[in-house]
Amino acid sequence: MRVLFIGDVVGRSGLQAVAMHLPPSISKWNIDLAIVNGENAADGGFGITEEAYEELLAAGADAVTLG
């Protein structure tokens, strides 16, 4: 099983980076489980919003962690 864990995603730029790089990484490396730390994914870089959570899932994250 191949697991990819992405550390702290911070703000809009972090979400954009995940959206750009996660899907091809999952395909390229045959990732079975993608876990993303999203505790600072909100636009201001503090906390997470439902919108940011949904963006991470749409990018291919299987789980989003906090704290």
Side-chain angles (χ1 to χ4, degrees), residues 18-41:
V18 169
M20 180 184 298
H21 297 289
L22 183 57
S25 297
I26 289 171
S27 296
K28 179 179 179 181
W29 297 322
N30 297 315
I31 300 299
D32 297 306
L33 178 65
I35 304 168
V36 178
N37 179 278
E39 70 181 82
N40 294 313

Side-chain angles (χ1 to χ4, degrees), residues 9 11 38-49 52 66:
V9 175
E39 70 181 82
N40 294 313
D43 282 340
F46 298 100
I48 189 168
T49 62
L66 305 172

